[in-house]
Amino acid sequence: RLTSSHRGVGPEFHHQSVGVLQTVLNSGLTPFEEPTMPLAEFSLIDRFFAAQKQRRGDVALGIGDDAAVVDVPPGEQLVVAVDTLVAGVHFPENATAFDIGHKALAVNLSDMAAMGATPRWTTLALTLPQPDELWVADFARGFLALADRFDVQLIGGDTTCGPLCVSVQILGTLPHCQALRRAGARVGDRIFVSGSLGDAGLALRLLQSERPCADDSRAVLDARLHRPEPRVALGERLHGLASAAIDISDGLLADLGHILDGSGVGAEVHVERLPRSPAFQACVAPQSADWFALPLAAGDDYELCFTAAPEHRESLEIMAHELGIRITDIGVIEAAPGLRCRREDRREFQPAR
């Protein structure tokens, strides 16, 4: 049922859409100009989401009832995360519906990765300025393509009229008492990051300026901003290796700072070891302030930052090779509080404010 109620997230995707039609008419918004069938006769969600190919055996009851029912595997705990993306805040106003659908789920999958959890089920709350069949179809393609890749089933949600906003809740599981946490880093642990840093921040910088950048490099950077790749497989394999972990959504300095606060420790980061992609290096000169500023402080990378004892380095290198993921040692956990950035010659580096 497409509804304007505020009952919260639940599988209210039924075969009635009169409620949203009435909401649109009352608000003065314009429904479809030439719908393929009358709006009151179909549900956008039923039409574009309920037909998801992915069907998990642990979903006892999915879309179509007042709530979903799922089976949690014996010996495992339920892990729950939720994120809200708002147009003009978390994605550009002109972002494609496909990219928004992908990113809305990807940022939640990244939370699962940071916890070392296996994602299983998701719910969706979608707020639209007006019912737009083509937009929803494109959004659904982006959302469900990623869901199918990670074996995640959409089990319910809600829709309403208003400024464009997407809220996604994801549910996963992990072995009992095996969650990766922000607390747990120990003095002497090495600090690692996956992938490369600063790409999404650079893509946003390019969108907001006339800065030159080759088309092929820009395409790679844009993909990193709009279609981030959650490191779920890496997170699942960090059990027994990582002492603490977090995903990099707000920038390395901010997110590593959460690990330090949670663990009651400090850290030293070697800024010249920060991993940068070939696309980043093609568009940013090493003498530029952005060479350090973006990898350190730009958000939306959705890589993993984690700590591990030095003796796990070889195991991590083998895992990185098996997964085809770059893992870089960028620093060390120290007893003294605070986060210190240094160059290789030990000179202190002061990040730009």
Side-chain angles (χ1 to χ4, degrees), residues 85-265:
L85 276 62
V86 178
V89 178
H90 302 101
F91 56 85
E93 298 277 2
N94 62 350
T96 69
F98 184 97
D99 287 349
I100 298 169
H102 176 106
K103 189 168 186 175
L105 182 58
V107 301
N108 282 269
L109 288 169
S110 186
D111 286 333
M112 291 288 107
M115 300 297 292
T118 299
R120 296 178 180 271
W121 317 285
T122 186
T123 61
L124 167 67
L126 187 58
T127 303
L128 296 171
Q130 62 185 37
D132 184 330
E133 182 177 358
L134 295 178
W135 192 97
V136 174
D138 202 27
F139 176 93
R141 280 191 290 269
F143 188 95
L144 294 181
L146 191 63
D148 289 345
R149 275 183 54 204
F150 285 92
D151 195 19
V152 172
Q153 183 173 336
L154 179 67
I155 57 174
D158 196 13
T159 57
T160 190
C161 288
L164 180 58
C165 178
V166 185
S167 292
V168 174
Q169 180 186 57
I170 195 159
L171 303 96
T173 64
L174 48 70
H176 196 268
C177 296
Q178 293 297 308
L180 300 177
R181 302 176 57 192
R182 298 177 181 184
R186 297 179 290 267
V187 175
D189 283 353
R190 303 303 303 182
I191 303 167
F192 297 90
V193 294
S194 65
S196 57
L197 302 179
D199 290 339
L202 177 55
L204 185 60
R205 186 73 53 89
L206 292 172
L207 283 174
Q208 298 170 339
S209 69
E210 306 251 335
R211 185 174 185 163
C213 182
D215 289 345
D216 56 346
S217 295
R218 184 156 190 165
V220 171
L221 298 170
D222 284 344
R224 292 276 288 155
L225 174 63
H226 297 302
R227 297 182 297 281
E229 182 67 20
R231 303 300 188 183
V232 173
L234 174 60
E236 291 175 326
R237 294 185 58 174
L238 285 178
H239 294 291
L241 296 174
S243 54
I246 193 170
D247 73 324
I248 303 175
S249 56
D250 297 325
L252 174 65
L253 294 181
D255 291 317
L256 176 55
H258 294 317
I259 288 181
L260 304 184
D261 292 342
S263 303
V265 294

Side-chain angles (χ1 to χ4, degrees), residues 282-306:
C283 297
V284 179
Q287 300 81 16
S288 166
D290 283 346
W291 183 258
F292 294 111
L294 291 176
L296 284 171
D300 276 9
D301 283 316
Y302 296 103
E303 298 290 351
L304 294 187
C305 174
F306 60 94

